[in-house]
Amino acid sequence: MISRLPISANGPTFSRLVYGTWRFLDDDATSNPADLLKRLHACLELGITTLDTAEIYGLYRVEEFIGQALKQEPGLREKFEIVTKSGIYVPCDFHPDRKVAFYNAEAARLVKSAEKSLRLLGTDYIDLLLVHRPDWLTSADETAAGLNKLLKDGKIRAVGVSNYNVHQFDLLNSRMEQPLVTNQVEFSLLHMDPIFDGTADQCQKLKIKPMAWSPLGQGRLMDATLPASARLHAKAAELSAKYDGATLDQLAYAWIMAHPSCPLPIIGTNKLDRLISTAKSADIQLSREDWYDLWTAAKGQGVP
């Protein structure tokens, strides 16, 4: 069973791996509530209890899809922690009046979006709400006002952010009545920015755990025609036997989880076998030398 851990002193307890829902409606064969229920039960059997979604996923349709699945089985929702995100608005069938994509983290907008998420998900609380992207036209005081209200009203239980730099995180956190519990950022062998831009260090300083989206580099890791990916495929082939036949993607998840900031990778797949395979990565304990060996293969050079 995959372990569980608190993501901060005042935050919820999540599973070590998180099931992401970004592509839930990409495959017609799996975009039905019955199929999703099978995957949700598989998650529970593996110990994956945390679901990550967002208002904008599926052009504003994924939350409702999840709600439809949960509605079929009373009590299932209470077995999961639900993370959702608000703040990105784009032209789509639901909003043909919009002419351009934009961010909005104003208080009233965040409250309205969260209330919509509650309705679509069929729940009366959200375990963790994230501001999806920093909104350059909204003050930290304004954003915090909406988040603090949602916390006070009991509609959400914790607040975090996504794609914030360290300065944006500090600023918003200084206005919160309840501290932010995470920063969800892109992190993979092909995108190591959190190691170098201060994000992972800030998380350690504040004793919060980051969430890692696109842990396989948005699929690029599996494309052996790319130079960095080709080097990683070769390195994974060398290391596989040492780690009980581990595949490149399993090693990639283990590489992220080995970092001392303790990131929680988000799995993005509609395939049950891939979900089960990925769960095995939580048992892989990379040696220091092998972690740096993968770093070197990804970068195409040794450490400075």
Side-chain angles (χ1 to χ4, degrees):
M1 289 286 287
I2 290 173
S3 62
R4 290 167 53 78
L5 71 175
I7 63 171
S8 76
N10 66 302
T13 295
F14 283 173
S15 52
R16 192 68 181 82
L17 289 166
V18 176
Y19 190 27
T21 69
W22 181 21
R23 300 192 180 281
F24 266 15
L25 300 180
D26 286 3
D27 186 348
D28 291 340
T30 59
S31 59
N32 61 82
D35 190 87
L36 176 54
L37 276 176
K38 292 179 182 178
R39 282 179 277 147
L40 293 180
H41 279 288
C43 282
L44 292 177
E45 291 176 8
L46 295 167
I48 300 173
T49 63
T50 307
L51 297 178
D52 177 81
T53 191
E55 176 185 25
I56 195 177
Y57 286 178
L59 289 179
Y60 308 98
R61 294 181 297 136
V62 165
E63 286 183 322
E64 184 176 15
F65 175 59
I66 296 171
Q68 290 171 347
L70 294 175
K71 186 178 180 180
Q72 293 189 35
E73 192 170 321
L76 185 60
R77 187 268 177 266
E78 298 305 318
K79 297 179 181 180
F80 287 93
E81 304 87 39
I82 295 179
V83 182
T84 194
K85 300 178 279 291
S86 301
I88 301 179
Y89 305 96
V90 302
C92 63
D93 291 341
F94 291 115
H95 300 284
D97 53 311
R98 293 175 182 163
K99 304 303 179 185
V100 65
F102 60 91
Y103 305 142
N104 187 344
E106 293 178 341
R109 179 67 262 180
L110 290 175
V111 170
K112 184 176 181 180
S113 289
E115 290 174 343
K116 182 183 72 171
S117 294
L118 288 167
R119 183 177 70 255
L120 294 178
L121 290 165
T123 184
D124 57 4
Y125 70 94
I126 292 167
D127 295 274
L128 173 60
L129 177 70
L130 307 180
V131 182
H132 207 156
R133 293 272 179 177
D135 172 18
W136 307 309
L137 288 179
T138 301
S139 71
D141 292 296
E142 172 72 13
T143 297
L147 298 172
N148 287 329
K149 175 175 172 52
L150 287 166
L151 286 166
K152 183 178 180 180
D153 292 345
K155 295 177 179 178
I156 62 175
R157 294 186 172 178
V159 172
V161 295
S162 184
N163 306 299
Y164 271 50
N165 65 36
V166 294
H167 307 294
Q168 292 163 337
F169 188 102
D170 277 341
L171 176 58
L172 180 58
N173 206 26
S174 72
R175 304 301 201 271
M176 293 299 301
E177 295 173 5
Q178 180 175 310
L180 301 173
V181 303
T182 192
N183 191 0
Q184 185 179 122
V185 293
E186 184 177 3
F187 187 21
S188 72
L189 276 163
L190 298 181
H191 188 91
M192 301 183 187
D193 290 19
I195 295 177
F196 302 108
D197 64 13
T199 300
D201 296 329
Q202 180 184 54
C203 288
Q204 290 190 75
K205 178 182 178 181
L206 298 176
K207 297 184 178 180
I208 65 175
K209 296 172 179 63
M211 300 177 73
W213 61 266
S214 285
L216 300 183
Q218 301 183 48
R220 291 179 293 117
L221 186 68
M222 309 315 294
D223 184 356
T225 65
L226 301 174
S229 299
R231 293 192 299 269
L232 284 165
H233 275 265
K235 182 56 60 179
E238 292 179 24
L239 296 175
S240 178
K242 183 176 180 179
Y243 294 99
D244 196 27
T247 57
L248 173 57
D249 55 328
Q250 290 171 334
L251 292 172
Y253 280 100
W255 185 88
I256 294 170
M257 290 187 282
H259 192 271
S261 63
C262 202
L264 278 66
I266 300 171
I267 306 169
T269 182
N270 290 326
K271 298 179 179 179
L272 188 57
D273 59 338
R274 289 290 301 278
L275 186 64
I276 294 170
S277 173
T278 300
K280 296 178 181 178
S281 63
D283 295 325
I284 298 174
Q285 302 294 320
L286 289 173
S287 71
R288 177 179 295 270
E289 187 171 346
D290 291 339
W291 190 92
Y292 277 99
D293 209 3
L294 287 165
W295 186 98
T296 299
K299 289 292 186 181
Q301 62 185 47
V303 296

